[in-house]
């Protein structure tokens, strides 16, 4: 028995009634670093737990000082459910190990058979890991409780009649069967405990025959009829005549396979029973590893039954890693007498499991004997690995969350109950205008005073009602943008501790200053759009593609001549379209669906009165989140009046074109055909003048002179008219024309005119334009000759320049001539419109008309700026790039 206590893996010690240590086992030596030889016979057992002298639990039980238990162990002690008179307690010892340890104590008084107190037993278990890891705690606590509870042995004495009367039972017996006290059990019959009464009969028959029964398993029932399995050992007490007077017995609840602490102390056999019923594996082996004995759990751990494992060696189940460590483990065991280590062992089928092993030397005789306890920690190891991976993932996730928090596009912060910043991300700090670290510990009043009133209002609402505030709009000015009124949408969430006390507020803020501006502009734009649509007498339509339903505004009737159908489909819409235009509508729809083009189409509709109306419709496709076409929105405008006007205009233009062509043809033919008669008249008049000039009187000569001058003027008019008509008929070839080259040619060709009038012609760097070269020569030649002709200065000056204006070149011809009165307006550009008498300035008055027609033929415009006596500036524009030249 001493061997069992001494080498038990549970630290234990026993004191006598004088508080002197009489047992101090090896497990306690190892745990406390106090040798048994130093402790036996002393009252210093408190040194294993405390730094100064104070009573242990067992001291108070020996003194029968229950009040002392309440004082020294406060609320941590309780009566043990495992044995009568035993107490349990848990306590924390900060001076033990790194960070302190939690210990669970069990103490009970030891009494002699007469009930006299002779000492006490105290054992304890290190439950630090249980406090740290809940799973290990529960497993360890369950196994420890199972072991202690199985020491709770029920003792009884009863008669041997079939019904059976209880003579005496102990409290443990009543607890096993769910009775409140032994007295309550005494009022029942023995046979009432049997599920099957015949088991009582067979039990008595064997007892009468053999005199005793050891460890007989019976299926009994509790007070509430709950079935219970028990192990019964009974001893018959015989009278002198050989009859049984009564039966003494011990009964154990083996439903949960727990043995009492008393049975552990009483016998090796009882200890064996405990070992068999613990969840750990247990084996006895020598120093060579030969297995001498084991419990069933150990055999199961190796994948065998106990009979198969006897005579085997631990090396057969050891991994290669374990074999490498074997020498070190044996050396430590021989030196210390006890060793604890982790190892991986192989089952019969090769499956590996991890075990926590604690080995103690029991005897050095006959090759030595070692007790080893094995606990399967495979799941724990797996859980540790999972927890380790989970911890790594959690740390990584925490880092990711931290990164997301700091880089979030919305402002985030945490405020305490005093509205001090506890935490803040970069975006919120940027909104406020201070670095994040400058916020910590400061209040909203110190950072953003303009927002204090709004913040306090929301905070008070949260503190009073303890609910979140969502979507609250804040307006104010922050130091980040002084003088700028800004707007935010904010969410305020109450922050609570583990006791559900409100300790602060989480704030999320999204700035919507620009959104508000945009929203305001959008509403204004929508109103403009509405007014524009209404002003254009247009109707809006909405085509739901998923449901194939058209919706129209109230302008539908003005466009289609009838009320819209609420369930109108695309095909229903097509029925109102002119048959000749349906394919055009379908094509526009398909292009919009396939290529995302805008829906644009002119179509005709047939009203119920069979009248034809023209409509222009414009629409755009909109998509859902997945990019699938969702709906098309558009407008429709009745363009029938403009279409009719356009048709009338086209007809008028055709007629005008024909008329212009006829007029031009007439002008050309007339001017061309008049050339010959005019030449003949002029020739004959000149001949008449030469031949008869000296034979006629002065009146006749004057008349002939008038006729010659008239014919010459007529010739000039016809030539100018022919030139003008050719501008409209001529199809010019456009190309790159260097206008500086034109000025050089004109100054060379007109050098006599320039010299006679002492004129000065200058020009800047002039551009290259796309134009008809010959006609551009006519433009500059006419403008320059007019500037010289209508000039009374001793030195006429003409300057030509050009400026680039967006898509045009604007040329400027500036002179110092007589100028033009503004009252004449555009008369200067009309054909044969003269502003001066023929005796003042020669010419037909067609030059500027020719210039105007050429400029317009090139897609440009001509105008002037002039004051009488101050000169004139003529402007004309020539478009850049290609110009389509047509008659």
């Amino acid at each position: 028995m001493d061997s069992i206590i001494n080498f038990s893996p549970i630290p234990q010690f026993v004191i006598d009634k004088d508080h002197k240590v009489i047992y101090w086992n090896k497990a306690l030596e190892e745990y406390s670093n106090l040798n048994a030889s130093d402790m036996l016979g002393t009252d210093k057992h408190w040194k294993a737990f405390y730094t100064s002298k104070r009573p242990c639990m067992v001291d108070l039980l020996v003194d029968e000082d229950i009040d002392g238990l309440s004082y020294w162990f406060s609320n941590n002690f309780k009566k043990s459910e495992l044995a009568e008179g035993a107490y349990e307690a848990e306590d924390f010892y900060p001076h033990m190990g790194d960070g302190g340890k939690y210990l669970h104590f069990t103490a009970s008084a030891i009494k002699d058979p007469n009930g006299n107190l002779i000492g006490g037993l105290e054992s304890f278990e290190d439950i630090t890991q249980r406090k740290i890891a809940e799973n290990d705690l529960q497993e360890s606590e369950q196994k420890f409780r199972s072991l202690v509870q199985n020491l709770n042995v029920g003792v009884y004495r009863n008669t041997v009649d079939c019904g059976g009367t209880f003579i005496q039972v102990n409290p443990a017996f009543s607890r096993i069967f769910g009775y409140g006290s032994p007295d309550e059990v005494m009022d029942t019959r023995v046979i009432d405990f049997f599920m099957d009464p015949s088991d009582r009969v067979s039990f008595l028959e064997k007892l009468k025959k053999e005199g005793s029964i050891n460890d007989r398993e019976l299926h009994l029932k509790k007070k509430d009829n709950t079935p219970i399995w028990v192990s019964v050992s009974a001893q018959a007490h015989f009278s002198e005549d050989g009859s049984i007077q009564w039966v003494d017995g011990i009964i154990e609840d083996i439903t949960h396979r727990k043995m009492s602490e008393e049975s552990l102390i009483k016998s090796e056999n009882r200890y064996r029973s405990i070992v068999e019923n613990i969840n750990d594996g247990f084996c006895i082996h020598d120093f060579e590893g030969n297995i001498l004995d084991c419990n069933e759990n150990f055999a199961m751990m190796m994948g065998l039954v106990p009979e198969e494992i006897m005579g085997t060696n631990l090396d057969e189940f050891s991994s290669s890693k374990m074999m490498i460590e074997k020498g070190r483990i044996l050396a430590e065991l021989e030196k210390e007498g006890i060793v604890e280590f982790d190892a991986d062992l192989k089952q019969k089928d090769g499956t590996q499991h991890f075990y926590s092993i604690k080995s103690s030397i029991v005897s050095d005789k006959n090759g030595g004997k070692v007790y080893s306890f094995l606990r399967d920690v495979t799941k724990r190891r797996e859980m540790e690995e999972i927890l380790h991976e989970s911890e790594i993932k959690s740390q990584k996730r925490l880092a990711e969350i931290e990164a997301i928090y700091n880089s979030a596009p919305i402002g985030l912060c945490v405020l305490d109950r005093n509205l001090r910043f506890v935490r803040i991300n970069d975006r919120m700090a940027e909104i406020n205008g201070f670095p994040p670290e400058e916020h910590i510990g400061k209040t909203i009043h110190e950072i953003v005073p303009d927002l204090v009133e709004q913040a306090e209002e929301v905070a008070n609402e949260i503190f009073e009602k303890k609910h979140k505030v969502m979507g609250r709009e804040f307006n104010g000015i922050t130091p980040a943008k002084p003088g700028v009124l800004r707007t935010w949408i904010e969410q305020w969430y109450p922050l609570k501790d583990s006791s559900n006390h409100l300790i602060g507020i989480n704030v999320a803020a999204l700035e919507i200053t620009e959104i508000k501006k945009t929203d305001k502009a959008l509403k204004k734009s929508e109103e403009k759009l509405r007014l524009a649509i209404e002003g254009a007498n247009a109707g809006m339509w909405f085509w739901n593609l998923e449901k194939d339903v058209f919706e129209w505004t109230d302008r539908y009737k003005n466009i289609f001549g009838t009320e819209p159908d609420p369930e109108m489909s695309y095909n229903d819409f097509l029925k109102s379209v002119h048959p000749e235009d349906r394919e055009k509508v379908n094509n526009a729809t398909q292009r919009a669906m396939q290529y995302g083009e805008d829906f644009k189409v002119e179509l005709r509709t047939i009203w119920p009165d069979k009248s034809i109306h023209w409509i222009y419709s414009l629409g755009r496709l909109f998509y859902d989140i997945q990019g699938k076409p969702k709906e098309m929105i558009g407008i429709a405008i009745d363009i029938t009046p403009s279409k009719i006007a356009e048709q009338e205009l086209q007809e008028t233009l055709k007629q005008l074109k024909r008329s212009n062509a006829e007029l031009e043809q007439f002008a050309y033919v007339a001017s061309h055909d008049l050339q010959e008669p005019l030449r003949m008249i002029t020739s004959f008049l000149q001949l008449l003048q030469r031949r008869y000039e000296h034979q006629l009187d002065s009146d006749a000569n004057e008349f002939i002179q008038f006729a010659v001058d008239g014919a010459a003027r007529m010739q000039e008019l016809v030539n100018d008219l022919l030139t003008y008509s050719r501008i409209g008929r001529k199809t010019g070839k456009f190309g790159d024309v260097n206008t500086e080259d034109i000025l050089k040619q004109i100054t060379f060709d007109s050098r006599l005119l320039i010299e006679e009038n002492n004129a000065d012609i200058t020009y800047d760097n002039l551009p290259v334009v796309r134009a008809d070269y010959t006609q551009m020569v006519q433009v500059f030649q006419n403008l320059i000759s007019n500037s010289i002709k209508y000039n009374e200065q001793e030195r006429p000056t003409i300057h030509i320049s050009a400026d680039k204006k967006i898509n045009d070149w604007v040329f400027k011809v500036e002179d110092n001539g007589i100028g033009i009165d503004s009252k004449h307006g555009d008369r200067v550009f009309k054909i044969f419109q003269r502003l001066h008498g023929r005796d003042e300035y020669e010419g037909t008055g067609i030059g500027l008309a020719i210039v105007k027609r050429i400029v317009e033929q090139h897609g440009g415009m001509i105008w002037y700026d002039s004051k009488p006596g101050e000169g004139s500036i003529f402007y004309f524009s020539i478009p850049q790039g290609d110009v389509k030249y047509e008659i």
Side-chain angles (χ1 to χ4, degrees):
M1 186 62 66
D2 290 347
S3 174
I4 293 174
I5 293 176
N6 197 36
F7 292 104
S8 169
I10 300 174
Q12 296 176 330
F13 68 93
V14 179
I15 63 172
D16 59 18
K17 65 179 181 179
D18 295 323
H19 301 277
K20 303 297 184 182
V21 177
I22 58 175
Y23 283 105
W24 191 272
N25 74 351
K26 289 188 175 182
L28 185 53
E29 276 188 326
E30 178 187 357
Y31 196 88
S32 66
N33 291 322
L34 297 173
N35 295 326
S37 58
D38 297 330
M39 301 305 298
L40 294 177
T42 72
D43 63 351
K44 298 179 180 179
H45 46 279
W46 56 269
K47 289 188 175 182
F49 315 106
Y50 308 110
T51 56
S52 60
K53 187 173 182 179
R54 56 159 284 185
C56 298
M57 285 186 67
V58 69
D59 292 311
L60 299 168
L61 288 180
V62 168
D63 292 340
E64 297 183 305
D65 183 6
I66 303 304
D67 291 337
L69 281 172
S70 176
Y71 173 78
W72 287 103
F73 293 92
S74 62
N75 297 324
N76 292 326
F77 89 95
K78 65 178 180 178
K79 283 187 177 182
S80 175
E81 297 178 358
L82 305 177
E84 180 71 20
Y87 288 85
E88 298 178 26
E90 291 180 3
D91 211 345
F92 178 68
Y93 297 87
H95 61 280
M96 290 184 174
D98 296 330
K101 292 186 178 180
Y102 284 92
L103 301 181
H104 178 278
F105 294 93
T106 302
S108 59
I110 301 174
K111 298 181 180 181
D112 62 15
N114 297 322
N116 298 317
L117 193 145
I118 60 174
L121 168 68
E122 183 168 328
S123 62
F124 68 88
E125 180 184 7
D126 185 342
I127 60 170
T128 305
Q129 293 303 316
R130 186 181 69 186
K131 292 287 186 179
I132 297 173
E134 187 62 28
N135 289 338
D136 286 349
L137 169 66
Q138 292 176 351
E139 183 180 356
S140 176
E141 184 180 15
Q142 183 179 3
K143 291 177 182 177
F144 180 75
R145 187 180 295 114
S146 174
L147 179 63
V148 175
Q149 285 177 348
N150 281 322
L151 295 176
N152 192 8
V153 179
V155 179
Y156 69 90
R157 176 176 289 180
N158 59 21
T159 62
V160 293
D161 55 294
C162 186
T165 301
F166 286 103
I167 300 172
Q168 186 178 1
V169 297
N170 71 347
F173 186 96
S174 60
R175 288 197 299 273
I176 288 173
F177 290 98
Y179 289 87
S181 66
D183 292 337
E184 190 178 356
V185 177
M186 300 292 286
D187 292 334
T188 62
R189 296 187 307 158
V190 176
I191 199 166
D192 293 336
F193 286 78
F194 285 83
M195 296 286 291
D196 185 355
S198 63
D199 289 344
R200 167 71 174 164
V201 175
S202 62
F203 183 86
L204 291 175
E205 288 177 351
K206 183 175 182 181
L207 187 62
K208 289 175 182 179
K209 180 179 179 181
E210 299 181 2
S212 65
I213 295 176
N214 291 321
D215 296 328
R216 173 73 177 270
E217 292 185 1
L218 293 177
H219 199 195
L220 305 182
K221 58 184 176 180
K222 293 185 177 182
K223 177 183 177 181
D224 61 1
N225 292 322
T226 303
I228 182 173
W229 281 96
V230 297
S231 175
V232 179
S233 295
Q235 178 69 47
H237 290 268
F238 295 92
S239 62
E240 292 181 359
D241 60 2
S243 63
I244 300 176
Q245 290 183 314
W246 69 81
V247 177
D248 284 337
I250 296 174
I251 188 166
E252 297 177 301
D253 181 357
I254 63 171
T255 304
H256 302 293
R257 295 291 181 185
K258 297 177 181 178
M259 305 298 292
S260 70
E261 189 177 11
E262 291 179 8
S263 65
L264 177 64
I265 301 172
K266 287 180 180 180
S267 67
E268 179 72 26
N269 198 35
R270 181 63 62 199
Y271 175 73
R272 177 69 184 181
S273 176
I274 293 172
V275 168
E276 284 295 342
N277 287 283
I278 62 174
N279 289 329
D280 291 344
F282 170 76
C283 71
I284 303 173
H285 57 88
D286 60 20
F287 281 100
E288 300 300 322
N290 298 309
I291 298 173
L292 307 174
D293 196 4
C294 72
N295 68 353
E296 187 174 356
N297 279 342
F298 180 84
M300 290 175 62
M301 287 177 176
M302 302 303 113
L304 301 169
V305 296
E307 292 77 14
E308 294 176 319
I309 210 164
M310 296 305 173
T312 60
N313 192 285
L314 288 174
D315 291 350
E316 299 177 30
F317 307 102
S318 300
S319 66
S320 57
K321 181 180 178 182
M322 178 65 183
M323 293 301 295
I324 295 172
E325 294 288 319
K326 178 181 177 181
R328 180 189 62 79
I329 295 170
L330 284 175
E332 186 177 345
L333 178 63
E334 291 175 351
K335 179 181 178 181
E336 303 294 338
I338 188 168
V339 65
E340 189 171 355
F341 57 95
D342 288 344
D344 51 336
L345 302 179
K346 296 179 295 184
Q347 291 186 348
K348 181 181 178 181
D349 61 1
T351 304
Q352 263 189 337
H353 283 256
F354 291 91
Y355 299 93
S356 175
I357 303 175
K358 190 170 187 178
S359 299
S360 302
I361 299 175
V362 179
S363 172
D364 291 329
K365 299 177 181 179
N366 301 322
K369 198 179 279 189
V370 179
Y371 284 2
S372 290
F373 290 85
L374 290 81
R375 177 173 296 176
D376 191 336
V377 295
T378 304
K379 291 184 178 179
R380 189 187 74 186
R381 286 282 293 269
E382 291 174 352
M383 286 302 298
E384 286 175 352
E385 291 179 4
I386 292 172
L387 286 172
H388 181 64
E389 291 177 2
S390 176
E391 183 180 359
I392 293 174
K393 289 180 181 178
S394 297
Q395 291 175 350
K396 183 178 180 182
R397 182 60 179 158
L398 186 62
E400 290 174 351
I401 292 172
E402 188 70 20
I404 292 171
Y405 184 88
N406 286 324
S407 61
I410 63 173
L412 300 171
C413 71
V414 177
L415 305 173
D416 64 13
R417 291 186 64 91
N418 296 318
L419 300 186
R420 293 183 182 275
F421 287 94
V422 177
R423 189 179 186 190
I424 188 168
N425 75 344
D426 293 342
R427 177 54 185 149
M428 184 67 90
E430 181 184 337
I431 288 173
N432 294 341
F434 296 98
E437 59 273 11
E438 290 188 20
H439 286 73
I440 306 305
K442 294 183 180 178
T443 65
I444 288 180
H445 186 276
E446 295 174 284
I447 298 296
V448 281
D450 200 47
L451 301 177
V452 169
E453 185 176 345
Q454 300 170 77
E456 288 180 345
E457 180 182 346
V458 177
N460 290 336
E461 183 177 342
I462 290 176
F463 293 143
E464 290 174 7
K465 300 181 180 179
K466 294 181 173 55
H467 64 62
K468 59 188 176 183
V469 175
M470 306 292 288
R472 187 65 58 89
E473 189 172 300
F474 277 63
N475 296 282
I477 298 171
T478 69
K481 294 183 179 180
V484 178
L485 182 64
R486 304 165 72 187
T487 305
W488 299 267
I489 287 290
E490 298 196 4
Q491 324 284 1
W492 288 49
Y493 304 86
L495 184 63
K496 301 178 181 179
D497 61 14
S498 58
S499 301
N500 206 35
H501 295 139
L502 203 154
I503 60 173
I505 300 171
N506 269 320
V507 180
L510 175 64
E511 184 167 0
I512 59 168
T513 306
E514 294 303 320
I515 295 175
K516 292 282 284 187
K517 292 180 181 177
T518 303
D519 184 56
K520 186 176 180 181
L522 179 60
K523 287 180 180 178
K524 186 176 181 181
S525 177
E526 287 175 349
E527 182 62 19
K528 288 181 178 179
L529 176 62
R530 184 185 66 78
L531 293 173
I533 291 174
E534 290 180 358
N537 200 25
M540 287 195 71
W541 51 266
F542 308 86
W543 180 19
N544 186 318
L545 298 175
E546 183 179 357
K547 297 179 180 179
D548 189 21
V549 174
F550 270 87
E551 294 181 25
W552 290 82
T553 58
D554 54 5
R555 298 280 180 176
Y556 179 86
K557 186 175 181 180
N558 297 344
I559 298 172
F560 291 92
T562 184
E563 294 293 339
D565 181 359
E567 300 297 325
M568 179 185 293
S569 67
Y570 178 73
N571 287 330
D572 294 333
F573 164 69
L574 279 182
K575 290 177 184 177
S576 63
V577 177
H578 195 288
E580 295 179 4
D581 292 343
R582 289 172 187 170
E583 183 177 356
K584 179 166 58 172
V585 173
N586 273 327
N587 291 339
T589 303
Q590 290 300 319
R591 286 195 302 273
M593 293 294 185
Q594 293 180 9
Y595 308 112
E597 296 181 5
D598 286 347
F599 175 84
K600 295 179 183 179
V601 67
E602 279 188 7
L603 57 97
R604 290 169 290 174
T605 62
I606 305 175
W607 282 27
D609 61 2
K610 305 304 179 183
S611 61
I612 304 297
H613 290 256
W614 282 88
I615 293 172
Y616 176 73
S617 187
L618 173 65
R620 179 163 293 177
L621 200 59
F622 292 88
Y623 302 84
D624 59 18
I625 298 175
Q626 288 76 31
K628 181 181 177 183
K630 179 181 179 182
E631 65 179 345
M632 189 181 287
I633 302 175
I635 61 171
I637 303 174
D638 186 348
I639 60 171
T640 304
S642 61
K643 201 70 178 177
I644 293 172
E646 182 184 346
Q647 290 174 348
E648 293 175 350
L649 178 61
Q650 290 296 330
E651 185 62 30
T652 301
L653 288 174
K654 287 180 183 178
Q655 293 176 1
L656 183 59
K657 215 169 203 181
R658 285 196 299 270
S659 176
N660 284 339
E662 290 171 358
L663 286 173
E664 288 177 2
Q665 181 67 22
F666 171 76
Y668 178 78
V669 170
S671 58
H672 184 274
D673 291 347
L674 284 174
Q675 291 285 334
E676 187 59 34
L678 281 174
R679 278 197 297 269
M680 185 180 68
I681 291 171
T682 302
S683 297
F684 278 106
L685 284 173
Q686 290 174 348
L687 180 61
L688 181 64
Q689 185 182 33
R690 287 195 302 271
R691 185 172 294 181
Y692 300 105
E693 180 179 5
H694 301 290
Q695 300 178 22
L696 299 174
D697 58 17
S698 59
D699 289 339
N701 285 327
E702 186 176 1
F703 295 153
I704 291 173
Q705 185 63 44
F706 287 155
V708 171
D709 289 342
R713 286 196 304 274
M714 178 65 73
Q715 181 72 41
E716 187 178 1
L717 284 171
V718 169
N719 287 334
D720 287 345
L721 180 61
L722 184 60
T723 300
Y724 187 81
S725 67
R726 282 174 177 168
I727 294 172
R729 293 177 54 80
K730 183 177 180 182
T731 301
K733 229 178 196 182
F734 277 49
D736 290 337
V737 175
N738 189 327
T739 51
E740 280 195 28
D741 293 343
I742 291 176
L743 266 296
K744 291 175 182 178
Q745 179 182 337
I746 291 173
T747 53
F748 178 79
D749 293 343
S750 303
R751 59 186 179 280
L752 293 178
L753 176 65
I754 293 171
E755 290 174 358
E756 287 175 359
N757 291 278
N758 196 28
D760 183 17
I761 300 175
T762 59
Y763 51 86
D764 297 334
N765 292 329
L766 300 177
V768 175
V769 296
R770 294 285 292 173
D772 181 294
Y773 183 88
T774 303
Q775 292 187 353
M776 289 304 295
V777 171
Q778 286 183 279
V779 169
F780 283 106
Q781 196 160 17
N782 277 308
L783 291 173
I784 291 171
S785 62
N786 276 358
S787 293
I788 294 174
K789 181 194 301 183
Y790 298 105
N791 199 309
E792 296 178 351
Q793 303 291 336
E794 291 184 2
R795 188 174 181 81
T797 59
I798 302 102
H799 182 74
I800 299 98
S801 60
D803 291 322
K804 192 174 184 180
K805 302 290 186 183
I806 307 177
N807 296 321
D808 295 331
W809 280 105
V810 176
F811 290 87
K812 182 169 69 172
V813 180
E814 185 176 4
D815 63 42
N816 60 347
I818 62 174
I820 303 171
D821 196 324
S822 60
K823 68 181 180 180
H824 296 303
D826 286 343
R827 282 185 60 205
V828 296
F829 296 114
K830 292 182 180 180
I831 189 170
F832 301 136
Q833 291 291 318
R834 294 178 55 85
L835 305 183
H836 306 279
R838 188 173 302 278
D839 55 342
E840 293 181 87
Y841 298 100
E842 61 181 15
T844 61
I846 201 173
L848 288 178
I850 291 174
V851 170
K852 182 174 185 293
R853 189 163 195 188
I854 291 174
V855 169
E856 290 177 349
Q857 197 77 11
H858 281 71
M861 298 174 59
I862 187 167
W863 66 99
Y864 69 91
D865 183 16
S866 179
K867 289 183 180 180
E870 296 183 9
S872 301
I873 303 174
F874 279 86
Y875 302 90
F876 67 91
S877 62
I878 301 295
Q880 298 185 57
D882 293 335
V883 177
K884 187 174 181 182
Y885 179 80
E886 61 181 29
I887 297 176

